[in-house]
Amino acid sequence: MRSESIARNYAEALFALGEKSGRSNQYADLLDALAAGIAGSPKVQAALASPKVPKPVKSRILTEALATAPEEFRYFVAAVVKRGRQGLIAAISAEYLGLLDVKLKRVRPTVTVAREPDEALRTLIKTQLEAQLGQEVLPVFVVQPEILGGVVIRLGTQVLDASVERKLVRLRRQLLKS
């Protein structure tokens, strides 16, 4: 079974638990914080990946970090470690957020810009996308100077490329046809 499928199965199990207990949003925050904490600590990453560190120790490291989290969430994390899937926590978090987004009718498009956008531009893009899509939009901004200017918006398999780079490519093609 592929890692993506495994992560989705774990996310669905936790999501069902969150729906049952009314803690779906809290679990999303906890899972996201856990994934970020692991990603931000090379020592924790090394301990979780090491075959020399026993699974109970790995489980204790994570569950102690989640001491204030609901008990069932800590049990979930312990079960993930027990099955040797701690390397998938970031993927489980991403899958879980996807499930929560569907429930809350929101989308997370990737918005690529040439330079870091100021708050006014972020708000403008978010507002216009919400008007077009009729859903709550939580844009993820990515800076790529190569596009020179404009914007590239990716939502699932759809891509809207209004970058200066793309416009120059089109202009070049038109000039070569002439």
Side-chain angles (χ1 to χ4, degrees):
M1 194 180 266
R2 292 180 28 205
S3 304
E4 201 173 271
S5 299
I6 295 167
R8 177 114 180 144
N9 289 340
Y10 278 98
E12 287 173 349
L14 182 61
F15 190 76
L17 183 63
E19 287 294 288
K20 185 176 178 184
S21 66
R23 295 179 169 155
S24 299
N25 289 331
Q26 183 183 13
Y27 289 173
D29 293 341
L30 287 168
L31 199 53
D32 190 43
L34 180 62
I38 292 169
S41 175
K43 287 183 180 182
V44 173
Q45 287 176 11
L48 292 176
S50 174
K52 293 182 179 181
V53 179
K55 288 180 182 178
V57 173
K58 293 175 184 179
S59 181
R60 191 171 61 247
I61 289 170
L62 295 181
T63 55
E64 285 178 2
L66 298 165
T68 60
E71 188 175 30
E72 60 271 9
F73 185 81
R74 291 194 315 269
Y75 286 147
F76 170 81
V77 171
V80 169
V81 174
K82 181 179 179 182
R83 289 166 182 80
R85 305 295 190 187
Q86 63 275 3
L88 296 177
I89 289 177
I92 294 168
S93 178
E95 291 289 340
Y96 189 93
L97 278 176
L99 293 169
L100 189 60
D101 287 345
V102 169
K103 175 192 172 205
L104 298 175
K105 295 181 174 65
R106 61 186 185 194
V107 293
R108 294 176 190 265
T110 301
V111 179
T112 305
V113 291
R115 61 181 171 79
E116 191 63 42
D118 60 7
E119 196 56 41
L121 181 59
R122 287 175 183 268
T123 304
L124 176 67
I125 290 171
K126 180 182 184 333
T127 305
Q128 288 184 352
L129 286 173
E130 285 177 342
Q132 288 292 317
L133 299 172
Q135 292 180 295
E136 181 183 3
V137 174
L138 303 172
V140 176
F141 287 90
V142 176
V143 176
Q144 282 186 347
E146 306 86 52
I147 70 168
L148 303 175
V151 65
V152 178
I153 300 170
R154 286 184 175 82
L155 181 59
T157 59
Q158 295 179 327
V159 178
L160 170 67
D161 190 343
S163 66
V164 171
E165 177 187 41
R166 178 73 176 141
K167 289 176 184 176
L168 288 173
V169 168
R170 279 192 219 144
L171 179 61
R172 181 174 182 260
R173 286 181 185 159
Q174 286 176 348
L175 291 173
L176 289 173
K177 284 183 182 179
S178 302

